[in-house]
Structure formats: C-alpha cells, structure tokens
C-alpha cells in the first residue's frame, strides 16, 4: 500500500490575503494558526479537524511554473453544479482563470472543472468526476490540467 496524501503545504507571501482566499472564497475551515518570530502559518481543512492545506508565510515573489516543485493543486467537488458555484464565487473575488468556464479534462471526457490561480499565482483546479459532458477541452491531446 502506498502512502496517502495527508495535506499539502503551500508557501505564501501574505498569510492574511491567502487566508481570505482559501477560507472565505473556497470555504476551508481555519483549524489553527500561529506565529513564531516572524513566521506565520495556518492549517485549513474541513470541520472534522483534518488539515488539507497548510499555508506558510515564507515566500517572496510569485509562483514560478517553470521551476521544479508543485505543478498544481487539484480539489474535487461532488457535482458540476458545485464546480460552477465555486466559479461564480471565484469570479466575484476577481480570480485569474486559465480557461473560460468549465472545461473537460480531455477531449470527449466526462470529467472536468475550472482552472485558476490563487493570490500568489499557484495553479489550482476544482473538478467533478461527471457532468461537464460536451464541455470543450483546451488541448486536443494533452490533459487539460497539464499545461495551464
């Protein structure tokens, strides 16, 4: 059996700004936060207390997609309607999207979602396993999540 993902830690430049995004726009519960010297951090997750995303205020500059490391962070929703509700909230918050609307994971695929960037430019995805039938795929042969 391989290890399971427990949580994903992200370096951020401004913890307050990132908290507002992940908590207020995406709906994660703030489980804990702290400060040690000039280091600030926050653990976010669901109400069960299990952290899913940890934020560490220790970065400078913007996310660099050309460097080794995190490619993107993908979340799943139970329906395409829920994905579209997230899209509406994210657009209201002025978030930068990679594609217009819900797109398929691949040409002719039955799964798909939205692809966007957090306040530091980290690439994020929210998708549903079923529902976006007939939605376009931005790339003819490559997976949609690969090159945004």
């Amino acid at each position: 059996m391989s290890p399971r993902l427990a949580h994903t830690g992200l370096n951020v430049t401004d913890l307050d700004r990132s908290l507002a995004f992940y908590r207020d726009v995406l709906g994660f519960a703030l489980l804990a936060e702290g400060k040690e010297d000039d280091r600030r951090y926050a653990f976010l997750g669901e109400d069960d207390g299990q952290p899913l995303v940890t934020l560490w205020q220790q970065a400078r500059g913007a996310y660099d997609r050309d460097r080794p490391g995190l490619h993107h962070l993908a979340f799943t929703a139970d329906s395409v309607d829920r994905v579209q509700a997230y899209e509406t909230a994210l657009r209201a918050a002025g978030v930068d999207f990679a594609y217009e609307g819900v797109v398929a994971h691949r040409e002719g695929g039955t799964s798909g979602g939205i692809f966007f960037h957090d306040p530091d430019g980290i690439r994020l995805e929210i998708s549903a396993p079923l529902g976006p039938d007939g939605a376009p795929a931005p790339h003819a042969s490559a997976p949609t999540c690969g090159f945004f």
Side-chain angles (χ1 to χ4, degrees), residues 53-64:
V53 175
T54 59
L55 304 174
W56 305 92
Q57 183 175 291
Q58 59 185 359
R60 292 182 183 85
Y63 173 79
D64 185 351

Side-chain angles (χ1 to χ4, degrees), residues 11-26 40 44 55 57 59-63 93 95 118-122:
N11 284 337
V12 300
T13 57
D14 180 333
L15 185 63
D16 293 328
R17 180 180 69 177
S18 292
L19 266 175
F21 177 78
Y22 285 93
R23 181 191 56 214
D24 302 340
V25 179
L26 293 182
R40 294 182 60 205
L44 299 139
L55 304 174
Q57 183 175 291
R60 292 182 183 85
Y63 173 79
V95 168
D118 86 348
D120 284 300
I122 297 170

